[in-house]
Amino acid sequence: MIRSVLYILPEKIKNLQKIPWIWGISIEMELGDYTMRIAAATLLLLAFGSFGLQAQPDWVKLAAKNANAAKIHDDAVAVALYDVTELEITKKGEAKGAVKLAHKILKSDGEHFAIQRVPVFSFVEMKDLKGWIIRLDGKVDKLKKEHTVQVGTAESKGYYDDVQWIVSALPNPEVGDIVAFEFTLKETGWTSLYHQFVFQRQVPVQYSAFRVKLPDGWQLRAKEHNMDGIEKNEIENTHSWIAKDLPYQPKELLAPSWGYLSRRLEITCFQPGRSAENNFPDWQSVASWAHGIHNEPSYAGTGVIAKTAELIGGAKTFEDKLRAVARFSQKDIRYVAVEIGKGGWVPRPADVTIRNRFGDCKDKTTLMRAMLKSIGIASASVLANPTNPVYGNLPTPFQFNHCIIGIPVKDEDVTPTLANAVVDNWLFFDPTEDRIRLGELPWSLQGSRVLVANPDQEKLIYLPYPKPQAFHRILKLDGELKPDGSIEASVSIDDVGARAFNSRAYNETTSTKDQLEGIKSWLDDNIPGISISEYKIIDVGDTSSTRFIVSSKNYLQKAGNLTIFKPDIFRTVHVPELKKKTRHHPIWFGGPNSVVTDLRWKIPGDWNADVDTSMVFRECDAASITARTSLDNDLLHFKSTYLQEGYLMEQEDYKTAKRFSKMLSRIRETSIIFNK
């Protein structure tokens, strides 16, 4: 995966450009969840070339010459002048690549383009790293030895691996400077025939290209994303994609992620009929490969057999046995990933994991398989990706980054409590998610494609996309408005289904004090001087409930004899209003979910108001809202139902989305004016 190169470094390493590095020291930096150990003495000199002989190559001179002709945007922090990767696949299945990058910095926020970091694994070798920074006055500074370090990821929340980062920072970049890097990479092993290339995320691009040369008789499959305006051609054995003058991608409200919006390409290469570990012409070859590396470690040794017998001692049914083993795999095996070399894909033997009492997703899955095997229940490892889509036309195991278990079941085995996690007669379960119950699919995997590691498996299995009701919240309130302008209310928040999973996870990992602070933070903008009491959590079945009393002395707004009251203290539908006249990107309201708000307020008997009791209903392709307010004697009732389908709306439908968001804002801010 040579072109999985990241050149945007976490903020805390940006100061590398200004640190007077001393050769041979070791420094640790905290980077969010990561501890990065920078060991300058461990640099591999072969990666950096000869720093004193870095004359500007012709491509850098040409990029600098053409910089003034680049089409830029007032909001752009930089412009990509030249971004080219040329890749050659050898007959042995190795990948050799040359990477060349040049950017012009337009704003101070674009200075991070002067930092380059490249992941280097045991199967990826980097060489000939060079860099230049061309100043506004024409002076050229070159990348020097002291500007480059090797960074290792020591630990990240129980995650260990052998990936290293070659980090280079051109010194003291300023607005107007042009920064350029080049290097070569050689990749061997399983991953060498799967590659990604990003032509553009947000900044404008003057020239970007990706070229792949294949040996005679080899084939290439590609998945293109947002490739309008990118030219593709094939000359003999070389496939090329070329982009010129790609405009700036603006940041917009309710836009999909940059990962979705980016112009990017994924490819796999293979030789028909070739027998090799990294040759994947179809999904059956991938399933067979995964079966081969997962099956042997799932052997049930004496330790596994003994523990399984202990766990299922009182279990009578098929489901009872599954639940006993599932609970142990979830709760008793701590998640720790130690992925050195091929350990990123090959699970540890089940006996090792049960002895260590820790492992990563594939280790936990393998242990569960071994335990089930010891009592005569068949199963298979299942490759999954909870973060990115898996594309059916790109057969490769390296689209996946997660492992769960699949258990073949007969119709008579499928009870109502298991049915939601059964697809194509496979019961799927994720032993890594320690708050998911057997019979539940993790929210992150719903709507995704998975591959059962079975030699006979010829296709991906689609896990159904969830309905809004699968991520459901019910907000209820019984409250009282008092003549002095204060309020007091009993509140219940019931989270159901996948939303209950999120709530359970939050409640189990967050102190009661912090939970209360979170609720206050949520409601504080709406309720000044908020006070919360009688707080408690109730977790029953598929519902996680939160109960509390909320009060405030100054919630109501007064103007003479008039009192203004907003019944929805939650403002539950947090969708910003779209106001711009035009739209560039698709509109994304968010994933599937539903929220029912049911609020009842007792008001003083001598307060009067004219209330519009007609039902309000609006919908678009992505969501719908129904709301009604009524006043019956001294009881004010506000109820709304919001359904979010989790679908994208294309920019051509912007006017519809804009009208819908305006209606959401109106309902969210519903006000009642009382006259005493």
Side-chain angles (χ1 to χ4, degrees):
M1 293 176 283
I2 280 181
R3 199 50 181 98
S4 300
V5 172
L6 303 176
Y7 46 79
I8 300 177
L9 202 65
E11 188 72 21
K12 292 187 180 180
I13 272 191
K14 288 177 69 174
N15 288 332
L16 177 63
Q17 297 158 321
K18 302 177 178 66
I19 295 175
W21 292 99
I22 301 173
W23 194 252
I25 64 172
S26 178
I27 294 177
E28 290 190 2
M29 289 185 176
E30 295 294 332
L31 301 175
D33 295 337
Y34 292 85
T35 299
M36 306 291 275
R37 180 168 292 111
I38 299 174
T42 65
L43 293 175
L44 304 178
L45 294 178
L46 57 87
F48 313 131
S50 301
F51 284 93
L53 302 175
Q54 296 181 50
Q56 291 179 69
D58 290 341
W59 73 267
V60 174
K61 295 177 181 177
L62 183 63
K65 180 180 178 181
N66 294 334
N68 290 333
K71 297 178 180 180
I72 60 174
H73 187 279
D74 289 344
D75 294 332
V77 300
V79 56
L81 303 174
Y82 195 87
D83 185 350
V84 175
T85 290
E86 295 179 331
L87 193 64
E88 180 179 1
I89 306 298
T90 71
K91 292 181 179 180
K92 294 181 179 180
E94 300 172 337
K96 297 179 179 179
V99 179
K100 299 172 182 177
L101 299 161
H103 290 80
K104 182 174 182 178
I105 299 171
L106 304 177
K107 295 185 177 181
S108 58
D109 287 346
E111 292 177 2
H112 63 260
F113 286 100
I115 303 173
Q116 177 72 227
R117 69 169 184 168
V118 183
V120 179
F121 305 85
S122 57
F123 46 86
V124 177
E125 179 184 27
M126 178 186 182
K127 288 187 177 181
D128 303 320
L129 173 61
K130 299 172 185 175
W132 303 266
I133 182 165
I134 304 172
R135 310 291 183 182
L136 271 174
D137 61 5
K139 180 183 176 183
V140 179
D141 290 326
K142 301 170 184 177
L143 186 69
K144 297 180 180 179
K145 188 181 297 183
E146 58 265 30
H147 300 147
T148 303
V149 295
Q150 184 163 309
V151 178
T153 306
E155 180 179 356
S156 169
K157 289 187 176 178
Y159 184 93
Y160 302 83
D161 62 22
D162 62 343
V163 64
Q164 300 287 310
W165 296 84
I166 304 298
V167 182
S168 299
L170 289 163
N172 304 315
E174 296 180 355
V175 173
D177 290 349
I178 294 172
V179 293
F181 295 93
E182 71 174 18
F183 51 89
T184 63
L185 291 167
K186 179 181 178 181
E187 185 171 359
T188 59
W190 289 337
T191 63
S192 61
L193 301 182
Y194 170 67
H195 300 276
Q196 306 170 37
F197 183 82
V198 178
F199 292 88
Q200 183 189 33
R201 290 181 177 86
Q202 185 176 16
V203 302
V205 174
Q206 189 174 39
Y207 183 84
S208 182
F210 181 66
R211 299 184 181 92
V212 185
K213 183 178 180 180
L214 301 178
D216 291 339
W218 283 56
Q219 296 181 20
L220 179 144
R221 291 194 178 104
K223 177 61 181 179
E224 300 177 345
H225 310 263
N226 306 317
M227 297 284 276
D228 291 346
I230 296 177
E231 176 188 346
K232 177 185 176 182
N233 59 63
E234 181 180 346
I235 301 175
E236 295 181 345
N237 296 341
T238 301
H239 300 253
S240 300
W241 291 262
I242 299 173
K244 297 178 181 179
D245 297 323
L246 300 179
Y248 173 75
Q249 300 288 322
K251 185 177 181 180
E252 294 180 316
L253 284 175
L254 299 180
S257 68
W258 288 116
Y260 177 86
L261 295 173
S262 64
R263 302 173 189 262
R264 67 193 191 281
L265 173 71
E266 297 179 46
I267 66 162
T268 59
C269 311
F270 67 97
Q271 181 184 20
R274 174 173 173 258
S275 178
E277 283 187 315
N278 64 347
N279 199 57
F280 302 110
D282 52 38
W283 284 113
Q284 188 170 7
S285 65
V286 178
S288 295
W289 173 88
H291 172 78
I293 64 174
H294 281 250
N295 200 47
E296 184 176 338
S298 66
Y299 170 77
T302 55
V304 171
I305 293 171
K307 187 62 183 179
T308 307
E310 175 190 330
L311 291 172
I312 67 165
K316 296 180 180 180
T317 67
F318 173 75
E319 183 175 341
D320 288 342
K321 294 174 183 179
L322 292 183
R323 290 194 182 279
V325 173
R327 279 195 299 269
F328 177 79
S329 302
Q330 282 182 315
K331 305 292 186 182
D332 287 56
I333 306 299
R334 185 166 59 96
Y335 180 84
V336 176
V338 182
E339 302 187 346
I340 307 298
K342 290 187 176 181
W345 298 278
V346 181
R348 290 166 188 78
D351 271 342
V352 172
T353 301
I354 201 169
R355 183 172 63 248
N356 291 340
R357 287 295 199 272
F358 67 77
D360 63 9
C361 59
K362 59 188 178 297
D363 299 331
K364 288 162 77 78
T365 293
T366 298
L367 173 59
M368 186 170 173
R369 289 187 60 213
M371 298 178 85
L372 293 177
K373 187 183 296 185
S374 75
I375 54 175
I377 298 177
S379 65
S381 295
V382 179
L383 306 184
N385 190 327
T387 54
N388 296 299
V390 173
Y391 300 104
N393 69 328
L394 286 181
T396 173
F398 308 112
Q399 286 198 74
F400 302 102
N401 59 11
H402 190 47
C403 183
I404 64 175
I405 192 171
I407 302 161
V409 290
K410 300 175 182 178
D411 291 344
E412 56 266 28
D413 295 328
V414 182
T415 64
T417 55
L418 298 180
N420 288 338
V422 175
V423 182
D424 289 356
N425 292 111
W426 285 95
L427 170 62
F428 295 103
F429 177 68
D430 187 352
T432 304
E433 293 281 8
D434 62 1
R435 296 170 188 89
I436 281 286
R437 297 162 180 171
L438 190 71
E440 298 175 347
L441 284 174
W443 184 254
S444 58
L445 290 179
Q446 295 183 44
S448 71
R449 293 179 175 88
V450 299
L451 181 68
V452 176
N454 185 316
D456 299 325
Q457 189 70 27
E458 298 180 351
K459 62 179 183 178
L460 300 168
I461 294 177
Y462 178 74
L463 305 183
Y465 195 63
K467 300 290 186 182
Q469 293 80 2
F471 199 76
H472 187 49
R473 168 167 281 186
I474 304 169
L475 289 155
K476 289 187 176 181
L477 178 148
D478 285 294
E480 182 180 3
L481 310 186
K482 299 180 180 180
D484 62 0
S486 63
I487 63 169
E488 183 174 272
S490 173
V491 174
S492 68
I493 304 172
D494 295 337
D495 289 333
V496 184
R499 197 156 198 158
F501 162 75
N502 284 1
S503 296
R504 285 195 296 267
Y506 174 77
N507 294 334
E508 289 177 17
T509 58
T510 308
S511 68
T512 301
K513 178 182 177 182
D514 287 342
Q515 290 176 35
L516 284 168
E517 287 301 317
I519 291 176
K520 285 183 178 180
S521 177
W522 169 31
L523 298 177
D524 191 49
D525 289 340
N526 307 327
I527 308 175
I530 184 174
S531 177
I532 294 175
S533 60
E534 299 184 30
Y535 179 82
K536 59 183 176 181
I537 302 293
I538 304 171
D539 198 353
V540 179
D542 68 344
T543 302
S544 179
S545 301
T546 304
R547 304 278 192 271
F548 57 89
I549 304 294
V550 62
S551 60
S552 172
K553 295 181 179 180
N554 302 299
Y555 181 64
L556 303 180
Q557 302 174 37
K558 295 184 178 181
N561 291 329
L562 302 179
T563 299
I564 302 171
F565 173 61
K566 293 183 177 181
D568 186 3
I569 66 170
F570 303 110
R571 315 287 202 275
T572 19
V573 183
H574 301 289
V575 176
E577 185 176 345
L578 299 168
K579 296 182 178 181
K580 289 191 174 182
K581 292 183 178 180
T582 59
R583 183 75 179 187
H584 184 82
H585 299 306
I587 302 97
W588 171 245
F589 284 93
N593 77 87
S594 63
V595 181
V596 173
T597 305
D598 192 350
L599 314 176
R600 299 170 189 269
W601 291 97
K602 183 180 179 181
I603 63 174
D606 59 345
W607 288 18
N608 300 300
D610 291 326
V611 177
D612 182 357
T613 60
S614 59
M615 179 179 289
V616 177
F617 174 74
R618 290 290 185 276
E619 66 177 342
C620 61
D621 289 344
S624 65
I625 181 77
T626 304
R628 171 175 278 172
T629 306
S630 63
L631 181 60
D632 184 9
N633 294 322
D634 61 349
L635 183 65
L636 178 71
H637 185 202
F638 173 86
K639 186 172 184 179
S640 68
T641 301
Y642 177 70
L643 297 178
Q644 194 166 275
E645 301 291 345
Y647 300 140
L648 274 177
M649 295 181 68
E650 296 300 329
Q651 52 266 52
E652 303 91 75
D653 299 322
Y654 176 60
K655 288 184 178 179
T656 301
K658 185 178 178 181
R659 286 194 295 268
F660 182 75
S661 73
K662 185 175 182 178
M663 178 56 69
L664 289 181
S665 296
R666 175 185 153 191
I667 292 172
R668 185 169 56 242
E669 299 299 327
T670 295
S671 297
I672 309 297
I673 300 177
F674 289 104
N675 186 4
K676 296 183 181 180

